[in-house]
Amino acid sequence: MKLNVFWFRRDLRLEDNTALDNALSSGLPVLPVFIFDTNITDELPQDDARISFIHETLSDINSNLQKAGSSLYVLKGDPEEKWKELIISFDINSVYINKDYEPYAIQRDSKVEELLQRKGISLCRYRDQVIFEENEILKADSKPYTIFTPYKNRWLKKLNENPAITSRVKGEKHSKFYQCSYTFPSHKETGFRKSSIRVRAYDLSVIPDYHKYRNLPAIDRTSYLSPHLRFGTVSIRQLVTLALKQNLSFLNELIWREFFMQILFHFPGVVTDNFKPVYDDIQWRNDEKEFRKWCIGETGYPIVDAGMNQLNRTGYIHNRVRMIAAGFLCKHLLIDWRWGEAYFALRLLDYELSSNNGNWQWAAGTGCDAAPYFRIFNPITQQKKFDPKEEYIKSWVDNYGKPGYPEKIVEHEFARQRALDVYKAGIKKRLL
């Protein structure tokens, strides 16, 4: 039987899914496929919490597909090799995907497209994880924005000109899926173990008051949306529609996400290099013992330690504390932002290359529209401002205020001056 294939990737939902809806409207049965990409999964621990979340989400999708007499076809391996197998196993007319904008994903999809084209199979791509794609928000000279505020203003203007872009896709009947019954693999069969760390359900009720509590880590008024956005269990169109009605500060965060995505697309070198080359000659100290203390929450600065403990135990870190902890590593300890970025990539449930890279380069002062190098957060005053009753700290630092809590890894004033001197020297050397 000739059929079309929908390839799940960063869009793990059956509703309001652009490419899936178009596949179901195509007139042919649709085989839903997911591939555990070993180019990615081989780099992860066996109990990686994100893999557990993906597996759990796919299981739910499969259960819903079974109600329509279908099932999810799950594979594991290199995507190009798995598509060679799929082409042999099925009479495929077209493959439907939602676009992914990260460098590896672009390369992967290009290879798969070449393979499909050689067999006379078309690859149909759709916008789904963003409101505006990489080349839709450009300056008058057709170059990408590198400063957030003008990007945001242009983004909002374009949305006002085309409000229908946030509308839900119409939703085709699930009876149009290919009728099949494939065995859904267990955790063990995918080569992983179920993690003890869980992705929390998202909470849209916090959006109206987001601006009131966004900087207060002790008050658990977090949406927990970020992992769901990362893996597409929620539609960006739904969130933007809500944010427009309920809270423009929350909308700002969604626009930041797309800003960093287009930065990564247009400047893929930021993955390994400073966005601003003027900082290339900074002499990072890169003390491995101090880095380890930062990782495990033993810096002697309670707000930093609380954040790192939250991250290590749950896969989450409050956004305000994330900025404090990142800035501390780069400027107090003078450790290369790439070390911190890699550690967060390993631990964050919501890890997304563009946002993680953009936020780390922002903290280090090396990125586009970054905090200036001479802005160095004082962790003590930050703690007094955002956790004045020490509630957040006491929740995450078990030995806070007790014997055994570590001394400060470095004094703030000394570290601040050292960072200023090192940054100035690096800039001077670069400009000579």
Side-chain angles (χ1 to χ4, degrees), residues 10 128-131 148 151 226 229-230 236 252-262 352 354-355:
R10 292 187 47 172
D128 188 72
Q129 63 171 282
V130 295
I131 298 300
F148 175 71
Y151 173 86
S226 50
L229 264 174
R230 170 65 180 87
I236 185 63
N252 245 27
E253 299 304 311
L254 299 177
I255 302 173
W256 267 108
R257 173 178 173 267
E258 294 196 8
F259 174 71
F260 281 140
M261 280 185 169
Q262 60 95 33
E352 185 162 49
S354 56
S355 295

Side-chain angles (χ1 to χ4, degrees), residues 34-56:
F34 182 85
I35 301 171
F36 282 99
D37 184 346
T38 51
N39 297 311
I40 298 171
T41 61
D42 282 355
E43 302 297 318
L44 303 175
Q46 284 192 321
D47 63 345
D48 189 272
R50 293 160 295 192
I51 296 294
S52 292
F53 177 62
I54 290 170
H55 186 273
E56 179 181 310

Side-chain angles (χ1 to χ4, degrees), residues 203-310:
D203 181 4
L204 300 181
S205 71
V206 306
I207 293 177
D209 293 329
Y210 172 77
H211 60 292
K212 297 179 182 178
Y213 303 109
R214 64 190 299 265
N215 286 315
L216 303 176
I219 300 174
D220 190 10
R221 295 283 292 166
T222 303
S223 69
Y224 293 99
L225 270 166
S226 50
H228 296 275
L229 264 174
R230 170 65 180 87
F231 296 108
T233 58
V234 66
S235 160
I236 185 63
R237 292 175 292 279
Q238 176 189 0
L239 298 181
V240 168
T241 299
L242 275 175
L244 280 166
K245 295 176 181 176
Q246 298 181 356
N247 197 305
L248 295 182
S249 292
F250 190 83
L251 179 63
N252 245 27
E253 299 304 311
L254 299 177
I255 302 173
W256 267 108
R257 173 178 173 267
E258 294 196 8
F259 174 71
F260 281 140
M261 280 185 169
Q262 60 95 33
I263 288 292
L264 178 61
F265 179 87
H266 289 290
F267 306 97
V270 297
V271 174
T272 55
D273 300 326
N274 296 321
F275 181 85
K276 296 178 180 176
V278 71
Y279 294 106
D280 285 353
D281 287 315
I282 293 174
Q283 296 300 303
W284 302 107
R285 293 175 61 248
N286 290 345
D287 186 300
E288 292 187 6
K289 290 183 179 178
E290 291 186 359
F291 177 65
R292 177 62 182 162
K293 288 183 178 180
W294 175 84
C295 289
I296 62 176
E298 292 185 358
T299 68
Y301 283 88
I303 193 72
V304 175
D305 295 343
M308 297 309 294
N309 287 341
Q310 182 187 20

